[in-house]
Amino acid sequence: MLTRLRGGDDGIGLVLVLGMGAILTGLMIISTTTAIRSLSSSREHVSFESALSVADGGIDVGLARARVVYVDDNADNYLIPAPVESSGCNDTAVAWPFAAQPTPEQERTWARAELERIADVTGCLKTGKNGEYAILKPAGRQVIYSLGWSPRRDAAEVKRRLIKAEYLFTPYAPEHAILTSGNLQLDSSTTVTSAPPNDPLLAAVHTNGTISVTSGNPTVFGPVTQNGSGPSASSNNFMANPTDTVLGAPKESIPFEGALAVWTSNRTSNPPGGWYDLCPDGTVRTANGASPCAGTTMVNLSAGGSFRGWSVDRSGTVPVWSGGSEIKVNGFSGTYYVHQGDVLNPASNTGSPVPNLTVIASSVAMTCDKVGGNITWGSTDPLAPSLDNTWLIADQDLKTESNYQAGSASGGTVISGFFIAGDQMEMSTSSNGAYGAVIAADQCDPASGSPVDANIIKNPSIYYDPNAQAPFTDVINNTLWLEYAG
């Protein structure tokens, strides 16, 4: 009897083992299927997000190209596709087809169809980091469309995303009294505050490198920040820094394209005192030509003499234009654009300030073998800029020396301007004041024989004007960024 019972138990155990095996096998199948579906879903999600990323990259490319064309032409002439397009995407420019404001569905359908067509044109389908994209800038519209495909347009499981970005061109306005891309040395009795009646705490200092203080206790009322990882300098007079030491901050963009871009955008502005191109051949010309020094000759100084206080020495690699005391004594206002040359101002500090004065120096090339484009300036003080918000602009180095005063603030009115160096900046103007903002783009490392080998602000009082705008533009994508879903 017991034997038979034990035999029955063996049969039940076998059934249980087989049943459990079937259950486990089912669970394994379900788990595997779920994992496969999750993996597939994850791949699709990554591909979907990658399509958005590559489309957004296309928007960045379009905005960058639009800005370059705007700087060159002083107008929003960028089109893509176009009959001749530098990126190789050559086709007929696309016109805006709607007489009235379309619905979002109509605009999405039109833009997507055009971008799919453009992507079939040779050279118009571009490869991004996460896939492929095509961009569209229709004629007469400040808008760029970008369609992104991931992993690529012809993939079996391709995902696509469509983005629209509207933009405006607005003047560049830095948020710092002093902004440099390279290392910055703040020394001695330098004072950085705001021009009254503005809040002194707005007068910030930032470098994308590191800040050092080698002597004295410079005073800065706004935040003092750096993006570099070097040692953190300190001053007892860093008013907005809790521990008196330099704080870390993100990198700041400096969109300075060079003196030529300023000439292109502003030469027809009719500034107080007039505009004068000071040319490599020793002539002074009007700015009515298609390029610098292509205008009408006013005077030829190649054999000597002076014009409105300016004379030229052509014995070196590039001409050196000197602004003598006559500029100040006679109040020769104007915007003086020194084309492919250097500027040296040896004038004494006698005489009254010049009513309106702006000096710009361009280099022979904007690559890092720059020749010319340096300014060394002192003594000759301007009451106000000639070109709006602009004191001195140098493609290469800019150096201001002692006894220099630029601008003022009185009764709530601020007269200010920018000091801009394409490479390095040195300001050592004793205790005199400079109203506006200081920018050093550090596009190239210090060149042998150039006037400045490091960014140094030593002794001046800088009065920041937060309302000033630089004489060059920046693309601001601040009106709309929109994804068309579906």
Side-chain angles (χ1 to χ4, degrees), residues 28-48:
M28 290 176 63
I29 293 172
I30 292 172
S31 298
T32 302
T33 302
T34 301
I36 292 172
R37 288 177 177 174
S38 296
L39 184 60
S40 176
S41 176
S42 177
R43 282 199 304 267
E44 290 185 4
H45 179 74
V46 169
S47 184
F48 191 64

Side-chain angles (χ1 to χ4, degrees), residues 126-139:
K126 305 298 182 182
T127 301
K129 182 178 179 181
N130 299 302
E132 296 175 323
Y133 67 88
I135 55 179
L136 163 65
K137 163 70 167 64

